Amino acid sequence: EAVFKIKETTDTMPIRLDIKKKLSVSSERVKSVDIHPTESWALAALYSGNVTIWDYESGSNVKTFEVSELPVRCAKFITRKQWFVASSDDMRIRVYNYNTMEKVRDFEAHSDYIRYVEVHPTLPYFLTSSDDMTIKCWDWDRNFDCTQLFEGHAHYVMMVKFNPKDANTFASASLDRSIKVWGLGSPLPHYTLEGHERGVNCIDYYPSGDKPYILSGADDRTVKIWDYQTKSIVHSLEGHSHNVCSVLFHPKLPLICSASEDGTVRLWQSTTYRAETTLNYGMERAWALAATRETTKLAVGFDEGCVVVELGSDDAVVSMDGTGKVVWARNNEIQTATVRGIASAGADGEELPDGERLPVVPRDLGACELYPQSIKHNCNGRFVAVCGDGEFIIYTAQALRNKAFGQAIDFVWSASGTGDYAIRESATRVKFFKNFKESRAIKPAAASADGLFGGQLLGVKAGDSAVLFYDWDSGEFVRKIDVAPKEVYWSDSGNLVLLACENSAYVLSYNAATTASAIAMGQVDAEDGVDGSFDLMYEISDTITSGEWVGDCFIYCNASGRLEYSVGGKIQTLVHLDTNSSGSTMHSVLGYLAKEDRVYLVDKNLNIVSYKVMLAVLQYQTAVMRGDFDAANELLATIPESEYTTIARFLEAQGFKEEALQVTTDDDHKFDLALELGKIDVAHALMEQTPEEEKKSIDTMAKWKKLSDAALKISDFDLTEACSLASDDFPGLLLLYSAVGNFEGIEKLAVMAKEKGKTNIAFLSFLLTGNVEECADLLIATNRLPEAAFFARTYLPSRVGDIVSLWKDDLSKVSETAAKALADPAGNPDLFPDFDVAAQVEQMFLSQREATKATGIPSTQYPTAKDDLNLDLIALVKSQGGPPAAPAAPPAPPAASSAPP
């Protein structure tokens, strides 16, 4: 189980990376770590002989593999095969499928401890380095044969690394104090790099091709950067107080990372070599590091466990202008593409399905002089501002030509004015620029200005308590809002603003005319600003991670991965997006193109997707929320019928069910609305139009039942009967017919139920109509012979003998003795007292039934007929010495009356 530590020390980082600890777990000594490129997994090789996969988002243990009884020194993912490969101190290599946990291969690889495993980026190879001073290459497509042996080091080979620029070459680090560079085609090294004073433990290549650098760490406590073309040392980094065990160039960030037995992880800028920060988690010696180009995560293996940290946000650094042109940064490289028209240019001229990755074609704009941490278009899309490392550069969006630059902690654009922007120089100084020239500087009315927000007004984040708004032209203080937003979103018209806070968001209206008038007349209060400049409209109880105004509608992604939009505070969910293992969203809203009726989203890997959201629908819903039904009706004519059901469901949610019924084109929705509005005739007409192939479907039967219940509520018995017949609702029909005294209906129901195999309903219906012969036949037909015999003993004595005979035959198949024990009136008359009298009563009942068959027994006779039910007809016949006059009611359960009681 994860044990989360709290000890952590970080220095201030000029590169301004917010370091967050994602995972901290205690375990045996961790000798190796690796990060999965797509799953949120960290792979840890333990000194105990186990290999563990941790989910760094949820903090859970995904899987643990008991690999060896001796320490596992290295474990690496082979993601294209769903494997990991592990080396242990029993000199063996083991390969496992991490999904099925099946062991794929287990073989002895070296004659001494195996220090490292390196997987080729594309070919089916991996390298192993060992204390036997050799390096071996293994081919898993050739049954894990050793295809090459590399010899040349004079001491333990601690690590090997492939060159990402040329994967046919690799470098090795050895305790013989050297680094050697090899080629896959030759058993001898190409060249040797010497310069460390003690054994070299670790190496790494620069991840991109623009610098021919190798990084190394050694027992001389230094980290060195080598130029492998000139074979010289470019720089030497000092600061560790013990052996350096692991080094890497972070593949996504401009950082060099180093781990040491002094228990610290040091971060250095990879361009200036400036020491940025030191991480110390109090977990004793640090042995291993891992990172991937897909995220900003860094995994660290310590004596006492494993830690995964996030070095700043791994959200995509990307911006889209109003025409669909997208600019993004991959490390220092800036690229551009357009999404306009791509979603509608799918196969066969059809639109791409919603949520499918858009096949954008990127174009390189060039390299940026600083490491981009944010990128943003100005109001008209002509310029983009790139910010990072405490600096900003403004480029032309088309050709990436430098327009302006400077030092700034934060940078934001104005919502109007091509070259209007503001920067935060410090916690107490903010500068305004107009047309790329400084216009004024202010000291915000707060103890500390912690951030800026662009838009219609300049927003200054005042700690964790408030946001202050200032006018762009005059620099006047407009208003203080006592919430702490993470982001501020202004509508295009500037009359609405959304403040996205930690767990909720607030939508305010902004009165520009009132503000302008107050500023012009000098009526701005120094503490309160302009009274009446903002009014709270509504609150959204959700965590908004990104969003975009479309008119008066706000489209956004929330933290749990839903794409939604708000119209007047009413939330509509568009789609549930993919989330990571902890349930957090992986997408952000890029922008909306009104001409294509599409909202564009981008994930952390710069994959762009789109979803159809019709502008006319949003405008219609906005008009409805304003109560402007004339405008709404005009807009409805511009909306295709395919969207009418969406419109209708929105109207229903607002309580406009009559209007929704008129608009919807979905028969199911129309049926539900008709029932809710009590329009039974409309619902019935819809049901009558049900296609023949759907009439017996479960859904159709359920609708008939709903309609039947609705008709029953208003005492429309004819419709209730029709609905019950259409849905084969035999229990409902029995209730209806018996309640209203419909004798003929019960007779028909008995026959229908018998044909449909509903024997309980059929039996009860036959009994209510006095058709005891059919009741007995039903019991016989369903092999309920004991029940049939006892039923006949009461109602049909003349058939007792026949039924008992059937019972005996059936029972004899199970027990001959039990069958012989059954008695019948013919063979054992002494066991059936008054049986001849019962036969007389049967004839009386049948005569009475025949006499009333045509007319039934009038309900007016109920007051006297009910007492006949309590007559003991056997005793009555015996006392009178013969059959008495027929009673008003038969001795059997009474048949349903011909009229309601």
Side-chain angles (χ1 to χ4, degrees):
E1 189 171 322
V3 179
F4 291 88
K5 302 254 180 181
I6 60 172
K7 183 179 179 183
E8 177 178 355
T9 61
T10 58
D11 302 326
T12 304
M13 291 188 68
I15 202 171
R16 299 186 66 235
L17 288 176
D18 184 19
I19 300 177
K20 295 180 182 177
K21 186 158 54 177
K22 303 292 289 185
L23 175 75
S24 179
V25 288
S26 293
S27 69
E28 305 287 340
R29 182 186 304 166
V30 179
K31 294 297 292 182
S32 164
V33 288
D34 197 16
I35 295 180
H36 197 283
T38 55
E39 301 287 349
S40 55
W41 292 350
L43 182 72
L46 308 184
Y47 212 69
S48 63
N50 292 347
V51 172
T52 301
I53 297 176
W54 294 96
D55 188 316
Y56 54 74
E57 292 289 353
S58 65
S60 61
N61 183 335
V62 180
K63 290 182 176 75
T64 295
F65 298 79
E66 296 179 358
V67 174
S68 171
E69 295 182 358
L70 296 175
V72 179
R73 291 192 180 269
C74 189
K76 295 293 177 183
F77 282 119
I78 306 177
T79 52
R80 55 190 183 274
K81 301 292 286 185
Q82 289 82 51
W83 293 346
F84 73 80
V85 54
S87 65
S88 51
D89 281 1
D90 56 8
M91 288 83 82
R92 301 185 72 82
I93 290 290
R94 294 174 177 87
V95 181
Y96 289 84
N97 184 307
Y98 53 70
N99 287 329
T100 65
M101 299 187 73
E102 170 196 5
K103 185 190 290 185
V104 177
R105 194 64 195 271
D106 179 348
F107 59 92
E108 185 171 325
H110 285 271
S111 59
D112 207 337
Y113 294 165
I114 305 168
R115 294 285 178 172
Y116 203 78
V117 179
E118 171 75 351
V119 180
H120 195 282
T122 56
L123 297 174
Y125 303 157
F126 60 85
L127 301 173
T128 56
S129 64
S130 168
D131 286 0
D132 64 10
M133 298 183 288
T134 68
I135 302 164
K136 293 183 179 180
C137 179
W138 308 87
D139 187 335
W140 66 71
D141 278 357
R142 296 186 179 181
N143 200 29
F144 292 90
D145 282 349
C146 177
T147 57
Q148 292 183 70
L149 175 67
F150 304 91
E151 295 179 296
H153 279 294
H155 209 311
Y156 302 163
V157 186
M158 302 299 288
M159 185 178 283
V160 284
K161 279 285 182 178
F162 280 111
N163 184 350
K165 187 178 179 182
D166 177 11
N168 288 317
T169 62
F170 65 91
S172 60
S174 171
L175 293 188
D176 64 9
R177 305 182 186 182
S178 74
I179 300 163
K180 294 184 184 294
V181 176
W182 315 71
L184 285 178
S186 171
L188 299 176
H190 294 335
Y191 52 87
T192 300
L193 302 176
E194 293 180 323
H196 279 289
E197 296 176 4
R198 300 189 66 183
V200 186
N201 294 312
C202 46
I203 48 172
D204 194 26
Y205 274 96
Y206 191 75
S208 58
D210 57 333
K211 292 179 181 178
Y213 289 174
I214 289 177
L215 189 65
S216 64
D219 288 347
D220 61 10
R221 305 177 183 180
T222 67
V223 176
K224 295 187 186 297
I225 299 97
W226 306 76
D227 185 319
Y228 57 77
Q229 290 181 345
T230 63
K231 319 292 189 298
S232 61
I233 297 174
V234 176
H235 201 84
S236 186
L237 305 175
E238 298 180 357
H240 283 295
S241 59
H242 213 302
N243 303 339
V244 179
C245 302
S246 185
V247 292
L248 61 80
F249 285 108
H250 198 289
K252 189 176 175 70
L253 299 169
L255 290 175
I256 292 171
C257 311
S258 59
S260 167
E261 289 184 47
D262 62 14
T264 66
V265 174
R266 287 181 172 264
L267 305 181
W268 328 70
Q269 270 201 347
S270 60
T271 51
T272 64
Y273 307 117
R274 179 178 61 198
E276 293 291 351
T277 192
T278 300
L279 305 178
N280 188 344
Y281 293 96
M283 299 176 79
E284 298 302 328
R285 295 173 294 182
W287 294 105
L289 297 171
T292 67
R293 64 175 60 254
E294 288 78 18
T295 71
T296 60
K297 308 295 187 298
L298 176 69
V300 190
F302 291 95
D303 266 338
E304 297 182 356
C306 178
V307 171
V308 177
V309 295
E310 185 176 64
L311 304 174
S313 171
D314 61 356
D315 290 338
V317 179
V318 59
S319 176
M320 186 175 91
D321 69 8
T323 65
K325 292 176 183 174
V326 184
V327 176
W328 66 84
R330 288 187 185 273
N331 294 328
N332 290 71
E333 301 298 320
I334 308 296
Q335 295 179 309
T336 186
T338 182
V339 297
R340 189 172 62 243
I342 292 180
S344 57
D348 302 324
E350 296 182 359
E351 289 192 344
L352 287 175
D354 282 356
E356 187 168 309
R357 181 175 176 270
L358 299 183
V360 296
V361 180
R363 176 172 64 89
D364 289 330
L365 286 178
C368 181
E369 291 90 337
L370 51 82
Y371 176 71
Q373 289 175 275
S374 70
I375 189 167
K376 188 67 178 174
H377 282 92
N378 74 330
C379 59
N380 58 19
R382 289 177 55 194
F383 298 95
V384 290
V386 180
C387 306
D389 299 350
E391 301 178 20
F392 73 91
I393 303 175
I394 299 175
Y395 294 102
T396 58
Q398 289 297 319
L400 209 69
R401 286 195 295 270
N402 194 319
K403 177 66 177 177
F405 62 91
Q407 300 282 330
I409 304 174
D410 284 307
F411 176 102
V412 291
W413 288 107
S414 163
S416 59
T418 299
D420 296 358
Y421 58 91
I423 62 170
R424 180 169 69 97
E425 282 192 336
S426 67
T428 58
R429 186 175 175 84
V430 174
K431 285 185 176 180
F432 290 76
F433 289 78
K434 191 169 184 64
N435 198 22
F436 302 104
K437 295 180 180 178
E438 183 179 344
S439 59
R440 65 180 50 80
I442 64 167
K443 180 180 180 180
S448 174
D450 294 341
L452 296 182
F453 306 108
Q456 183 74 13
L457 298 176
L458 172 65
V460 179
K461 186 177 182 180
D464 293 328
S465 60
V467 58
L468 312 176
F469 286 107
Y470 292 85
D471 180 64
W472 281 100
D473 293 331
S474 64
E476 289 282 357
F477 171 55
V478 176
R479 202 66 172 169
K480 176 182 178 182
I481 309 294
D482 291 319
V483 295
K486 296 183 298 178
E487 191 55 77
V488 173
Y489 302 93
W490 285 89
S491 64
D492 289 341
S493 59
N495 64 326
L496 293 173
V497 61
L498 182 140
L499 310 180
C501 302
E502 187 67 35
N503 298 310
S504 60
Y506 304 91
V507 175
L508 293 80
S509 62
Y510 171 60
N511 193 327
T514 299
T515 302
S517 174
I519 292 173
M521 298 175 66
Q523 296 176 345
V524 180
D525 188 277
E527 291 187 2
D528 296 332
V530 178
D531 190 32
S533 54
F534 287 96
D535 289 303
L536 177 64
M537 296 186 67
Y538 55 87
E539 179 182 354
I540 300 174
S541 299
D542 206 347
T543 301
I544 293 174
T545 57
S546 61
E548 177 93 359
W549 282 99
V550 181
D552 291 349
C553 166
F554 188 72
I555 302 177
Y556 64 90
C557 283
N558 70 2
S560 56
R562 291 194 304 274
L563 179 62
E564 301 180 322
Y565 65 90
S566 169
V567 180
K570 303 297 180 181
I571 309 300
Q572 304 283 321
T573 299
L574 288 168
V575 68
H576 291 262
L577 303 165
D578 292 336
T579 59
N580 60 23
S581 58
S582 64
S584 299
T585 184
M586 298 190 297
H587 291 81
S588 57
V589 175
L590 194 55
Y592 182 85
L593 292 184
K595 290 184 177 180
E596 302 203 3
D597 290 323
R598 284 191 172 272
V599 59
Y600 293 84
L601 280 68
V602 63
D603 67 11
K604 297 177 186 296
N605 295 321
L606 288 168
N607 297 313
I608 300 174
V609 298
S610 70
Y611 293 89
K612 190 86 171 178
V613 184
M614 294 202 66
L615 179 62
V617 172
L618 300 179
Q619 291 173 334
Y620 176 90
Q621 293 175 343
T622 303
V624 169
M625 293 304 299
R626 289 199 307 261
D628 189 352
F629 288 100
D630 291 337
N633 290 332
E634 290 180 13
L635 285 165
L636 187 61
T638 67
I639 298 173
E641 285 195 10
S642 60
E643 300 294 324
Y644 275 19
T645 299
T646 301
I647 292 290
R649 294 196 183 280
F650 171 78
L651 290 170
E652 181 187 11
Q654 309 315 312
F656 302 118
K657 294 182 180 179
E658 287 278 3
E659 292 78 2
L661 180 61
Q662 300 300 318
V663 171
T664 186
T665 56
D666 181 85
D667 286 343
D668 291 341
H669 190 212
K670 191 175 290 187
F671 176 83
D672 291 337
L673 287 170
L675 286 187
E676 288 184 44
L677 294 168
K679 297 191 174 186
I680 306 298
D681 53 338
V682 175
H684 188 209
L686 285 168
M687 292 306 298
E688 291 290 343
Q689 297 168 12
T690 304
E692 191 65 35
E693 63 273 11
E694 295 180 13
K695 284 188 175 179
K696 296 300 179 183
S697 68
I698 295 174
D699 186 51
T700 301
M701 294 296 185
K703 285 184 185 176
W704 278 118
K705 185 69 173 67
K706 282 184 182 179
L707 184 56
S708 173
D709 293 343
L712 193 58
K713 284 182 181 178
I714 60 172
S715 301
D716 188 341
F717 298 132
D718 290 339
L719 182 54
T720 302
E721 179 183 9
C723 294
S724 297
L725 286 169
S727 60
D728 290 342
D729 182 13
F730 297 139
L733 285 168
L734 180 60
L735 174 65
L736 175 66
Y737 290 153
S738 59
V740 302
N742 188 340
F743 187 90
E744 291 181 0
I746 296 181
E747 284 187 318
K748 292 177 181 177
L749 174 61
V751 175
M752 286 191 297
K754 181 180 178 183
E755 291 175 351
K756 297 282 188 179
K758 306 297 183 184
T759 49
N760 285 339
I761 299 293
F763 181 88
L764 191 53
S765 299
F766 282 130
L767 192 61
L768 286 172
T769 56
N771 194 344
V772 290
E773 296 91 341
E774 283 287 355
C775 289
D777 290 341
L778 266 178
L779 291 171
I780 294 169
T782 54
N783 206 32
R784 306 293 289 272
L785 297 174
E787 292 92 332
F790 283 103
F791 180 84
R793 178 70 178 89
T794 304
Y795 295 112
L796 287 171
S798 61
R799 295 186 59 181
V800 170
D802 295 337
I803 296 175
V804 169
S805 177
L806 292 172
W807 187 7
K808 281 184 175 184
D809 291 342
D810 184 66
L811 188 58
S812 65
K813 298 173 185 176
V814 180
S815 172
E816 191 69 38
T817 304
K820 290 179 179 178
L822 291 176
D824 63 58
N828 305 89
D830 54 317
L831 297 177
F832 295 86
D834 301 327
F835 189 77
D836 54 340
V837 180
Q840 296 178 45
V841 173
E842 177 188 352
Q843 293 303 315
M844 291 166 49
F845 164 69
L846 295 176
S847 299
Q848 171 71 6
R849 187 182 69 182
E850 188 64 30
T852 58
K853 184 176 182 180
T855 59
I857 301 174
S859 57
T860 53
Q861 292 188 19
Y862 175 74
T864 55
K866 66 182 177 63
D867 296 329
D868 292 342
L869 296 173
N870 299 320
L871 289 176
D872 185 346
L873 296 180
I874 299 289
L876 188 60
V877 170
K878 289 173 68 176
S879 67
Q880 293 181 356
S897 303
S898 58

